[in-house]
Amino acid sequence: MKFRMIESWPDRKPCTEAASTLTLALAAALVCVGGCTSNPVDVKNSYEMEFVLVQPGVFMMGCSEGDTECLGDERPQHPVKITQAFYLGKHEVTQKQWTAIMGNNPSRFRGDDRPVENVSWNDVQEFIHRLNGLEGTSKYRLPTEAEWEYAARAGVATKFPFDATRAGEHAWYWNNSDGETHPVGGKQPNPWGLHDMHGNVWEWVQDWYGEGYYASSLTSSSGTIVQPKELMSGPKIVINDPKGAIEGSGRVLRGGSWGNDLRYLRSAHRNAYAPDYRNANTGFRLAVTSDSDWVKNAETMRDEAKKRAASEAEAAKKVVEPIKNVPELKAPALPNVGPFGVKP
């Protein structure tokens, strides 16, 4: 399989397939059927990773209606249902957070608050394994490709959840990045409060990549028939919680990076690298299966971490503070002798 490297992207041509039979009105009707507004309540764990609760709902996955830059593997656009709420990282995982758990920093562009990069999909799996062990849970994971696109769209049916003419206010990409990453959270969030879903670094997701997966999933995946009042063309099969191709040679990345033109930052755009591939434009954000026990545990461990940090800071302060109330010691007087050791 030939994976999508930055150098090869300019040679790729937009798909010339016919536009989706679903109209923009239909897309808008399906987005957030069942209520998918993100809950504004955030959860922060002991490593200062902040998570936003994303509610379940239905959206149109794939090439947005009217998007002339669509590629073949973004077709056909199809309804997808996210059946369970999940938490998604408010930001991409930072170098400080990676170093705290892994004990190293592989990034090319250094900075505690910059996203960690130059990490492979396999590296991320080891990070997740260690984080779950440290926090005594099994809930941390990568988002699925469907979860990622659902959250990136944030209830918006167009190719970006923002005005493309003002992309520089929302994303770090080729036009404004100066050829490097930037601290997370520096741009405006999307409507659900998630930062840097577009640009800064490509984000690994859980799925294997399948070029024809969208078409095959329509006939091979279990789904639910929905018929909202707004639908004008009858019931549609909605795929529930797709997990991606069963196997493959590459894992999916989403969102584009500091090194890409705006067209690669579109919500529907798909990329893929081998699981062991590392680059200064590859990073990730975490997802967490929604679970009340995880929330309580994360909050408890965060509070305990704060107490430990405060205690360690106090101990360090005492070590460097000058000792008080100690009598001043004076040097003994020299004996009254002459230059030859003889008393005058």
Side-chain angles (χ1 to χ4, degrees):
M1 168 177 272
K2 182 179 178 181
F3 296 117
R4 300 179 181 174
M5 312 295 284
I6 289 180
E7 293 79 9
S8 68
W9 290 337
D11 298 327
R12 302 179 68 217
K13 301 185 186 310
C15 177
T16 57
E17 296 178 28
S20 170
T21 56
L22 290 172
T23 64
L24 185 60
L26 173 57
L30 275 173
V31 170
C32 296
V33 172
C36 62
T37 303
S38 179
N39 190 321
V41 176
D42 296 344
V43 176
K44 187 180 292 186
N45 71 6
S46 60
Y47 293 92
E48 298 298 311
M49 299 174 189
E50 200 166 358
F51 295 86
V52 175
L53 180 62
V54 179
Q55 299 286 5
V58 178
F59 77 109
M60 295 301 298
M61 186 171 184
C63 181
S64 301
E65 188 70 22
D67 187 350
T68 60
E69 296 175 322
C70 290
L71 300 168
D73 62 356
E74 300 170 23
R75 301 279 194 182
Q77 190 183 45
H78 53 287
V80 166
K81 183 177 183 180
I82 303 299
T83 64
Q84 295 182 334
F86 64 98
Y87 286 90
L88 189 64
K90 189 172 186 177
H91 307 105
E92 294 157 334
V93 171
T94 67
Q95 294 174 34
K96 181 179 180 180
Q97 292 160 350
W98 177 277
T99 303
I101 291 169
M102 301 296 286
N104 61 64
N105 184 0
S107 303
R108 173 182 172 186
F109 304 111
R110 295 300 180 94
D112 281 354
D113 295 327
R114 294 190 187 205
V116 66
E117 26 87 0
N118 202 30
V119 293
S120 69
W121 187 92
N122 291 336
D123 295 334
V124 173
Q125 297 306 306
E126 178 60 24
F127 175 91
I128 291 171
H129 174 72
R130 294 191 188 187
L131 175 58
N132 276 322
L134 288 167
E135 292 215 335
T137 183
S138 60
K139 301 300 182 182
Y140 292 104
R141 58 181 176 82
L142 284 175
T144 65
E145 186 176 14
E147 287 174 336
W148 189 97
E149 185 172 328
Y150 176 61
R153 289 186 176 279
V156 180
T158 52
K159 61 183 179 180
F160 298 108
F162 49 78
D163 181 353
T165 64
R166 305 180 69 176
E169 299 175 13
H170 300 266
W172 293 112
Y173 66 113
W174 184 250
N175 286 27
N176 64 357
S177 70
D178 293 326
E180 60 182 354
T181 62
H182 292 265
V184 301
K187 295 296 185 179
Q188 294 182 22
N190 76 6
W192 289 356
L194 300 163
H195 293 263
D196 300 308
M197 292 294 288
H198 307 266
N200 221 1
V201 290
W202 285 100
E203 299 179 11
W204 290 107
V205 298
Q206 186 61 30
D207 304 30
W208 286 110
Y209 173 78
E211 187 170 354
Y213 169 69
Y214 282 8
S216 63
S217 66
L218 291 175
T219 57
S220 63
S221 301
S222 62
T224 304
I225 297 178
V226 297
Q227 191 173 12
K229 293 180 181 179
E230 295 85 356
L231 289 179
M232 297 176 288
S233 56
K236 293 292 178 183
I237 296 293
V238 178
I239 302 171
N240 293 335
D241 303 316
K243 305 297 184 186
I246 296 175
E247 59 184 3
S249 301
R251 296 284 185 173
V252 178
L253 301 98
R254 289 301 205 105
S257 78
W258 56 266
N260 295 112
D261 292 335
L262 192 59
R263 66 184 183 273
Y264 298 110
L265 275 63
R266 295 176 298 110
S267 297
H269 184 72
R270 309 174 70 209
N271 195 5
Y273 290 139
D276 60 354
Y277 179 79
R278 300 182 183 92
N279 194 289
N281 64 8
T282 58
F284 68 107
R285 78 178 66 222
L286 290 175
V288 182
T289 303
S290 180
D291 182 89
S292 59
D293 289 338
W294 170 77
V295 173
K296 293 177 182 177
N297 181 64
E299 291 175 343
T300 298
M301 296 200 71
R302 181 197 64 211
D303 293 342
E304 291 177 351
K306 285 183 176 179
K307 291 178 182 178
R308 285 197 302 272
S311 178
E312 291 170 359
E314 185 64 25
K317 182 180 179 182
K318 290 180 179 179
V319 169
V320 299
E321 280 184 346
I323 301 176
K324 299 178 180 179
N325 301 322
V326 174
E328 182 180 357
L329 298 178
K330 296 182 178 180
L334 292 174
N336 191 15
V337 296
F340 303 105
V342 180
K343 289 182 180 182

